[in-house]
């Protein structure tokens, strides 16, 4: 495969904190980054002089951007497919639009996982309030109704514990295509991030544990408090998904670990995938020789992978909304690695930064 040497320009679709931290990792290896995003106050715009501010449907701007860079990657899995296709006509795009087609749709990703033998929670597609009313009669409750597309951090999700007003639940979910998922009484949630190059080489980070509050990731603990055999199994699931999907770049897989194997014999169920850097991988910046962001740069530039083995155990806390006001105290704590995203406006639940506490040798 072609190696892009330092000095080359990496285009990034999206300008949030994931793009910002990717740009910083790229700069460390001598690469330039060019951000494409619609907003003007995006965190990544503060760390690189090259940007294109335009809408996702501005075909001319997308093509000009792609013509000005050597390779394109992304930090947001919901970039419209048409935009990805416009970019891919001018520059190598990693991951491809085909991967994103699967990752943008909860039904597509669960169907794909099942096809390759990976367990998921039981689910059924719901297209209207009438279909939801029908499903409530036969689908085991409790269940969660989610929008199939564009959902994140619990947005577009409604828990249904007993047959209730389907029209209300449908509206609350967003009233667009939905998925009804069996509620999983999990022992814990884990995630694995795997990096894959175009020639098929892969490196996976260890399984780590995620604790959500109000559906938003609050804390990641590395390593996950699960038996080593299960942790290996989680990594195998991640590798298999990355390989079968043909991901080039990163793939993050969020999984539920069950107390006992479920009805289909699986102890680990895939919940969601994201083919980009992931919040649950932020700890790698401070606890591993090679961070997830640097591994992404290496993957899309065709460089040898860095060692993903951690040197330290770690606990990462997201700084959500007004948590950011504690930054002076956090700076005084020992073994605390503080990361602030430079966002001007604080909103409830908004990811403003994170802090990783190093907890001693791995
Ligand atoms: P998601 O947007 O699918 O990642 O969901 C956000 C969080 O909601 C997950 O990390 C879980 O904590 C919880 N959740 C989502 N789906 C389910 C489910 N089927 N059963 C139990 N909890 C769930």
């Amino acid at each position: 495969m072609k190696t892009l040497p330092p000095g080359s320009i990496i285009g990034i679709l999206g300008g949030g904190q994931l793009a910002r931290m990717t740009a910083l990792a790229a700069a460390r290896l001598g690469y330039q980054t060019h951000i494409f995003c619609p907003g003007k106050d995006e965190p990544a715009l503060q760390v690189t002089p090259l940007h294109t501010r335009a809408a996702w449907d501005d075909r001319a701007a997308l093509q000009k951007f792609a013509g000005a860079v050597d390779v394109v990657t992304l930090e947001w899995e919901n970039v419209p497919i048409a935009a990805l296709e416009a970019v891919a006509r001018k520059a190598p795009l990693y991951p491809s639009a085909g991967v994103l087609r699967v990752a943008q749709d909860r039904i597509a990703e669960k169907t794909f996982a099942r096809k390759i033998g990976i367990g998921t929670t039981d689910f059924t597609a719901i297209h209207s309030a009438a279909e939801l009313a029908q499903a409530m009669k036969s689908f085991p409750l409790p269940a969660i109704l989610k929008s199939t597309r564009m959902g994140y951090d619990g947005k577009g999700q409604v828990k249904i514990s007993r047959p209730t007003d389907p029209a209300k639940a449908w509206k609350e979910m967003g009233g667009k295509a939905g998925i009804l998922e069996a509620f999983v009484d999990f022992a814990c949630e884990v995630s694995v991030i795997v990096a894959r190059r175009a020639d098929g080489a892969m490196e996976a980070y260890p399984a780590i544990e995620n604790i959500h509050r109000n559906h938003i990731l609050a804390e990641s603990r590395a390593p996950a408090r699960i038996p080593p055999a299960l942790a290996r199994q989680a990594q195998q699931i991640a590798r298999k998904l990355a390989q079968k999907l043909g991901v080039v770049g990163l793939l993050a897989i969020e999984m539920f670990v069950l107390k006992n194997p479920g009805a289909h014999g699986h102890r680990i169920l895939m919940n969601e995938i994201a083919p980009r850097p992931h919040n649950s991988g932020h700890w790698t910046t401070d606890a591993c020789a090679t961070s997830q962001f640097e591994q992404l740069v290496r993957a899309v530039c065709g460089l040898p992978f860095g060692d993903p083995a951690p040197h330290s155990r770690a606990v990462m806390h997201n700084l959500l909304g007004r948590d950011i006001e504690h930054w002076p105290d956090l700076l005084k704590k020992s073994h605390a690695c503080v990361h602030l995203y430079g966002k001007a406006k604080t909103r409830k639940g908004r990811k403003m930064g994170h802090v990783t506490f190093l907890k001693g040798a791995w």
Side-chain angles (χ1 to χ4, degrees):
M1 71 182 282
K2 199 174 149 221
T3 299
L4 279 180
S8 306
I9 305 177
I10 303 170
I12 304 178
L13 297 168
Q17 64 268 17
L18 301 175
R20 175 184 174 106
M21 291 184 273
T22 304
L24 293 173
R28 206 177 81 151
L29 288 182
Y31 291 88
Q32 301 184 71
T33 43
H34 183 144
I35 308 295
F36 184 104
C37 65
K40 70 172 180 357
D41 294 325
E42 296 287 334
L45 301 180
Q46 298 167 2
V47 301
T48 170
L50 306 176
H51 21 89
T52 300
R53 265 195 59 218
W56 292 118
D57 60 1
D58 187 339
R59 216 49 83 77
L62 284 160
Q63 296 217 339
K64 193 165 171 226
F65 157 78
V69 302
D70 297 296
V71 65
V72 179
T73 189
L74 50 89
E75 63 124 34
W76 187 50
E77 71 271 28
N78 291 313
V79 174
I81 296 293
L84 297 170
E85 286 171 346
V87 164
R89 278 194 278 278
K90 290 263 178 191
L93 171 68
Y94 300 133
S96 69
V99 172
L100 273 295
R101 257 182 229 285
V102 178
Q104 288 183 356
D105 185 300
R106 290 185 190 273
I107 294 176
E109 65 189 13
K110 285 193 172 60
T111 305
F112 186 90
R114 288 192 157 201
K115 217 165 62 191
I116 62 169
I118 292 169
T120 73
T121 182
D122 286 333
F123 66 94
T124 185
I126 304 283
H127 302 97
S128 64
E131 274 189 27
L132 179 60
Q134 198 57 32
M136 278 181 188
K137 291 181 193 155
S138 54
F139 198 84
L141 300 180
I144 302 189
L145 177 68
K146 300 180 182 176
S147 57
T148 56
R149 304 177 76 86
M150 298 297 256
Y152 69 99
D153 290 347
K155 291 187 175 61
Q157 298 193 12
V158 186
K159 186 169 176 194
I160 299 177
S161 301
R162 67 194 92 79
T164 45
D165 182 355
K168 187 166 165 265
W170 179 251
K171 197 167 155 227
E172 214 177 304
M173 180 274 286
K176 298 215 179 86
I179 175 173
L180 191 63
E181 290 183 16
F183 186 81
V184 181
D185 184 19
F186 51 75
C188 67
E189 293 187 75
V190 301
S191 61
V192 171
I193 294 170
V194 58
R196 188 172 176 275
R197 254 183 358 215
D199 64 359
M202 277 193 276
E203 286 289 356
Y205 289 95
I208 64 106
E209 187 174 334
N210 296 313
I211 295 144
H212 290 81
R213 284 186 208 111
N214 304 321
H215 297 278
I216 303 178
L217 181 67
E219 195 178 311
S220 291
R221 304 178 70 95
R225 292 166 293 184
I226 55 174
L230 270 182
R232 278 196 301 277
Q233 202 183 321
Q235 281 187 319
Q236 281 159 8
I237 288 172
R239 287 172 180 276
K240 188 168 179 183
L241 272 165
Q243 192 230 324
K244 297 280 186 194
L245 275 169
V247 173
V248 178
L250 297 182
L251 185 69
I253 298 96
E254 293 183 77
M255 295 168 256
F256 298 134
V257 178
L258 308 183
K259 291 168 189 144
N260 299 296
H264 307 290
H266 297 285
R267 179 87 192 270
I268 298 182
L269 303 180
M270 184 210 83
N271 175 37
E272 215 182 5
I273 60 171
R276 54 161 172 79
H278 196 257
N279 195 168
S280 71
H282 289 0
W283 67 280
T284 60
T285 299
D286 303 302
C288 301
T290 313
S291 73
Q292 61 164 347
F293 304 103
E294 183 175 330
Q295 210 72 304
L296 172 60
V297 169
R298 290 179 181 232
V300 302
C301 294
L303 304 180
F305 278 133
D307 187 352
H311 49 74
S312 302
R313 296 166 165 267
V315 177
M316 188 265 344
H317 294 269
N318 269 337
L319 301 175
L320 303 174
R322 296 186 62 181
D323 292 349
I324 184 86
E325 292 169 10
H326 298 296
W327 66 265
D329 304 323
L330 292 170
L331 288 178
K332 289 183 206 146
K333 290 192 190 289
S334 54
H335 307 296
C337 311
V338 179
H339 300 253
L340 306 179
Y341 305 151
K343 293 182 183 177
K345 287 203 185 79
T346 308
R347 279 195 303 270
K348 190 167 179 277
R350 190 177 195 203
K351 291 173 180 168
M352 304 299 293
H354 69 270
V355 54
T356 300
F357 292 97
L358 298 177
K359 296 285 184 182
W362 185 268

